[in-house]
Amino acid sequence: NAPVAASASAATARQARRTGGTAGPGDGSAVPGVRDAPSAAGIGTTASARAASGAALLARVERLAAAGRRPTRAARPGQDAGRFEPRLGDAALAERLGGQVCAPGVLGFTHEEPLDRCRGLASLASLPEGDLQWLGLAPPDLAANDLCFIDTETTGLAGGCGTLPFLVGTGRLHGRVRRSRQWLLTGFTGERAMLQALREQVAGTSAWASYNGKSFDLPLLETRLALARLAPFPAGRAHADLLHAVRVAFGQGWPDCRLGTAETRLLGMQREADLPGHAVPATWSAFVRDGAIEALPAVLLHNRLDLLSLAALLPALAAIFEAKRPPHDTLSAAAHGAAERAAIARAQVRRGRTASALRQFEGSYPSRDPRARLLHADLLRREGRAAEACVIWEDLAAGGVV
């Protein structure tokens, strides 16, 4: 019966497919577990195709290596095609940016500024002679000449081993000149050399000065030193983190304590045509990925201005914490109210600087905060001015505060 035979043959083929076998020759039977062997011609064709593909890829890699650059992607819609240019070597890039090649993958830059120049309304002239004890640092004889100002530009703000500092800037005083030194990575291979250069630069100093460096910059650099199998920075170095001082004085009254806000309110200045800090990581990534170099000078300038503001904020904050009138009295009065003076006085008391704390309340309008007035009275008592302290206590008692 033909229909029955055809149905049996179809069932046999289905069973062969399920068991991984193939139909036997002629009678439609299945041999479980046996597949058709590929032909010798098929094997030869596949091997030849793979060899040809590998040879073509190797030839392309050799051409790119001879050209001295990596392949660049085509400009996406809306992007400037001119920024996707052949990648410059370190020597050509250093000449273009005004630096020098320190090691493969890292460029160095040096700048000097005289201390008689101003940063906004603040002068750097008093920086070398300034007293740093208002910061509560040890040793007691620490001077500005012992400081290494430091600021980093990184691939992100997360910290940890996944964040890379691609630009490190330092500043030091040399007589009446402030000298800044910067290291820029042109590739990931230069990080170890950059870290070694940084260690050599800070060898002659005994303390750091930064803005949020205690919480971010220095822990990140210590992590990178460990990953590069380099010795850490000397232990026990003092650290003048000016962000902490700004928060103590103005954390309750300002909308934020960013460096740009401190520049505006304490130095009376705003940067013009400066690359925003949030755009710096993307600028370096575009350089590494596509060879785009036109914005690199703005990255270097942004970092250098951060270092210069650090140096200018040091004497400006010292004048406020020591209750000495800075040159710009109008700006100081606007940014330094009764609440700020009370906060600074408490910080100075914790550091054992009673006389400095008492000066915060002198020559100004009396604070309406009962806690600040009690502190003022207690400071007067410590200085042996009991009669003046009693006046404050009696006034507070009349108001039902004490």
Side-chain angles (χ1 to χ4, degrees), residues 98-100 108-112 179-182:
Q100 62 278 340
F109 304 85
T110 302
H111 297 272
E112 293 186 352
R179 182 177 302 159
S180 64
R181 184 81 170 135
Q182 296 171 290

Side-chain angles (χ1 to χ4, degrees), residues 125-148:
S126 62
L127 187 57
E129 295 82 18
D131 180 12
L132 300 182
Q133 288 312 298
W134 61 272
L135 287 164
L137 300 176
D141 59 346
L142 187 69
N145 288 322
D146 302 319
L147 295 177
C148 176

Side-chain angles (χ1 to χ4, degrees), residues 68-394:
R69 64 179 179 90
R70 300 177 308 165
T72 58
R73 298 183 295 109
R76 293 186 292 272
Q79 289 183 321
D80 181 11
R83 62 189 290 266
F84 295 90
E85 60 184 27
R87 184 178 177 87
L88 293 177
D90 285 354
L93 184 60
E95 183 178 0
R96 181 84 66 91
L97 298 178
Q100 62 278 340
V101 179
C102 298
V106 58
L107 306 184
F109 304 85
T110 302
H111 297 272
E112 293 186 352
E113 299 95 7
L115 293 183
D116 57 1
R117 67 172 294 183
C118 290
R119 177 70 171 152
L121 298 177
S123 172
L124 302 179
S126 62
L127 187 57
E129 295 82 18
D131 180 12
L132 300 182
Q133 288 312 298
W134 61 272
L135 287 164
L137 300 176
D141 59 346
L142 187 69
N145 288 322
D146 302 319
L147 295 177
C148 176
F149 298 89
I150 188 164
D151 184 63
T152 64
E153 308 300 335
T154 66
T155 55
L157 300 177
C161 59
T163 302
L164 174 72
F166 58 83
L167 174 59
V168 178
T170 63
R172 293 180 57 181
L173 298 184
H174 295 270
R176 302 298 301 177
V177 173
R178 180 189 163 280
R179 182 177 302 159
S180 64
R181 184 81 170 135
Q182 296 171 290
W183 296 273
L184 173 68
L185 293 184
T186 62
F188 297 96
T189 58
E191 183 186 11
R192 182 181 175 87
M194 178 186 72
L195 294 173
Q196 288 176 324
L198 176 60
R199 283 180 49 81
E200 295 172 2
Q201 176 72 7
V202 305
T205 62
S206 56
W208 301 106
S210 70
Y211 205 85
N212 197 34
K214 255 186 181 179
S215 301
F216 182 74
D217 299 75
L218 266 299
L220 175 61
L221 290 173
E222 293 284 4
T223 298
R224 305 310 299 187
L225 285 169
L227 291 174
R229 297 187 177 183
L230 294 173
F233 296 118
R237 287 174 62 94
H239 194 143
D241 193 330
L242 301 187
L243 173 61
H244 294 188
V246 170
R247 280 178 173 166
V248 165
F250 309 110
Q252 298 300 316
W254 288 3
D256 59 70
C257 293
R258 295 182 299 110
L259 180 58
T261 304
E263 289 176 343
T264 301
R265 295 181 175 245
L266 298 181
L267 304 181
M269 58 153 290
Q270 288 185 334
R271 301 188 191 184
E272 297 180 358
D274 179 44
L275 183 69
H278 63 81
V280 170
T283 301
W284 187 78
S285 296
F287 159 67
V288 173
R289 183 183 63 247
D290 305 318
I293 67 170
E294 63 275 1
L296 286 183
V299 172
L300 293 167
L301 179 61
H302 176 86
N303 179 257
R304 195 160 66 249
L305 291 178
D306 283 352
L307 292 170
L308 188 56
S309 291
L310 276 177
L313 280 174
L314 195 59
L317 285 169
I320 291 173
F321 271 72
E322 293 295 296
K324 299 174 182 177
R325 288 290 184 183
H328 44 293
D329 290 349
T330 303
L331 181 66
S332 177
H336 195 194
E340 287 82 1
R341 286 193 294 271
I344 294 172
R346 295 187 190 97
Q348 294 293 66
V349 168
R350 290 194 297 269
R351 294 164 182 161
R353 300 179 69 82
T354 305
S356 176
L358 184 57
R359 286 198 299 270
Q360 296 294 330
F361 297 102
E362 296 177 345
S364 62
Y365 293 106
S367 173
R368 296 182 179 181
D369 182 3
R371 294 178 301 172
R373 299 192 69 190
L374 283 172
L375 175 60
H376 186 191
D378 185 59
L379 292 172
L380 289 170
R381 179 191 60 81
R382 295 187 191 187
E383 293 295 310
R385 298 160 62 178
E388 298 174 66
C390 285
V391 172
I392 298 177
W393 286 329
E394 291 172 356

